[in-house]
Amino acid sequence: MSSNRTSHIRLTSHPGNGSASRFPIHWDAPTARERGPVIATPNSGADRNAVGAHGGAYSIYRALAISAGAMDPLVRPELHNTHPVVSIGPHPQWSEAGKIVSLDPWGHRVAEDFAPELAEGVDIRPTIAVTKARISLPEIADAIARGRLTVDGKIVHEGGDVAVTKAAIDPVWHLPGIAERFEVDETQLRRTLFEQTGGMYPELVTRPDIAVFLPPIGGITLYMFGDPAQLGDRRFTLTCRVHDECNGSDVFGSDICTCRPYLVHGIEESVAQAQAGGTGLIVYNRKEGRALGEVTKFLVYNARKRQPGGDQAATYFERTECVAGVQDARFQQLMPDIIHWLGIRRIDRFVSMSNMKYDALVKGGIEIGERVPIPDYLVPDDASVEMEAKKAAGYFTPEPAPTAADLAKVVGRDLKEF
């Protein structure tokens, strides 16, 4: 460690230790200034009003850069010209109690809403960024070649690249709201978060007065096709896919699952909707391997393929639970927050087979029109086990869902948890 730098280490060990910030947070307030800024950098001193650190999962790399002497711990971002390329919100849902608890709806407007505080030197950082780009996928080029999409020069350009508005969102948790969403006691939630991260954030239990937590987890990326201002406008048809990360398939084309085919199908449907005068939306959540991670996912792959009789639909979910202790850790309860952030109250065409996602959205007050399954021709041969298992488990049910007894007959075990 560089000898010309000193650091101040502060340990918290008793409830209530530390003084209250001069910037209290009133989570569901109707304006940014009434709500207050989220301040989480360690060098903010008494202004700090959130547990955790900016950057989500990348906050650890920032710490490593500082440790290695490659970065000044006191450096602050210069936010000139970083403002969003399009205006998003404010929408009524931003101040509707309980609608948004896992992200800061004002997180992209920091430079605009808190200019006086920034000028004063308060270290307030954006947790959302909005930009524009073009994406290019071989599957989209194929859709153009086959006549399913056309080059219009506005959304789809010559060469097959597609215009898109993108937003990146880091997680910001309002702990009372998170606890209510999961129907757990807030004190118990805080203690479990503290204990299961090896005591990484002691303020979770020592500062019950701090209600906001920036967890070190992956965030969300949005891909918006068409005019983003129309996303929450009921006059324009919206096609949407909510997709949970699968690096092996999404990026490298692994054929053991349908993730990339379904993702690209959602993109094609979204582009087509935008070309028809509506809007398209892809919500990409960093929840690799059902939020169990790639190591666990690959262990499950091995366990599934090495069992007697080979990979089977009847034991698809069981092998995951045997390795991971749970079949799915995505817990879609928080997923509707990003839909509320965009001001959306109805998804006309939901490109998903997941009842978990559908149920979470409906429970969150989002109306769903048509549910769009993946076409059979897009399902890789090696992914047939996944599809059979999900269908047997009632993963996608345009008709009434099967009972637990029905499912048990198919997979040979009690599946009430589905």
Side-chain angles (χ1 to χ4, degrees), residues 75 219 238 286 352:
V75 70
L238 170 62
R286 294 314 194 284
S352 175

Side-chain angles (χ1 to χ4, degrees), residues 30 38 100 175 284 287 304 323 331 357 372 379 392 413 418:
V38 173
I100 298 176
L175 291 171
Y284 195 88
K287 295 179 180 178
R304 281 171 45 193
V323 174
F331 301 115
K357 295 174 184 176
V372 183
V379 179
R413 58 192 293 262
F418 292 116

Side-chain angles (χ1 to χ4, degrees), residues 53-301:
H54 285 284
Y58 296 97
S59 60
I60 302 301
Y61 287 104
R62 180 181 183 275
L64 184 61
I66 293 172
S67 177
M71 181 177 182
D72 182 349
L74 299 180
V75 70
R76 298 185 180 185
E78 204 282 287
L79 298 177
H80 180 65
N81 279 340
T82 63
H83 56 278
V85 297
V86 298
S87 178
I88 295 180
H91 295 294
Q93 292 95 318
W94 294 13
S95 58
E96 292 178 13
K99 288 290 187 183
I100 298 176
V101 300
S102 62
L103 60 93
D104 176 6
W106 306 94
H108 56 310
R109 296 166 48 105
V110 164
E112 172 186 353
D113 292 327
F114 299 108
E117 288 78 8
L118 289 168
E120 178 192 331
V122 181
D123 194 352
I124 309 170
R125 305 193 179 194
T127 56
I128 300 175
V130 185
T131 190
K132 286 187 176 182
R134 293 187 184 182
I135 61 173
S136 180
L137 298 169
E139 292 91 341
I140 295 300
D142 182 69
I144 295 171
R146 295 176 182 273
R148 298 195 304 271
L149 295 175
T150 60
V151 174
D152 58 28
K154 181 179 179 181
I155 296 172
V156 179
H157 297 268
E158 293 288 347
D161 52 317
V162 178
V164 65
T165 302
K166 303 194 299 184
I169 298 95
D170 280 340
V172 178
W173 287 6
H174 181 241
L175 291 171
I178 296 286
E180 183 177 353
R181 188 75 61 86
F182 282 89
E183 299 180 347
V184 298
D185 177 73
E186 183 188 344
T187 300
Q188 183 59 42
L189 171 66
R190 286 171 172 269
R191 178 161 295 280
T192 304
L193 289 170
F194 168 70
E195 292 175 347
Q196 295 303 314
T197 57
M200 181 178 287
Y201 299 105
E203 287 168 314
L204 285 168
V205 292
T206 64
R207 293 295 304 275
D209 57 307
I210 299 180
V212 174
F213 174 43
L214 278 61
I217 61 175
I220 302 168
T221 307
L222 302 181
Y223 294 82
M224 295 168 274
F225 303 90
D227 184 356
Q230 297 176 359
L231 283 171
D233 191 330
R234 296 287 293 267
R235 295 174 298 174
F236 300 93
T237 302
L238 170 62
T239 290
C240 172
R241 169 155 180 80
V242 176
H243 188 89
D244 294 327
E245 179 183 26
C246 177
N247 183 65
S249 179
D250 296 343
V251 179
F252 294 99
S254 172
D255 64 355
I256 196 171
C257 63
T258 59
C259 294
R260 181 182 174 93
Y262 220 153
L263 172 61
V264 175
H265 178 56
I267 293 173
E268 180 179 331
E269 291 290 322
S270 294
V271 172
Q273 192 70 74
Q275 288 190 312
T279 53
L281 171 66
I282 301 294
V283 179
Y284 195 88
N285 295 297
R286 294 314 194 284
K287 295 179 180 178
E288 177 66 57
R290 299 195 194 123
L292 300 170
E294 273 197 315
V295 170
T296 295
K297 178 197 280 190
F298 290 3
L299 292 174
V300 171
Y301 285 167

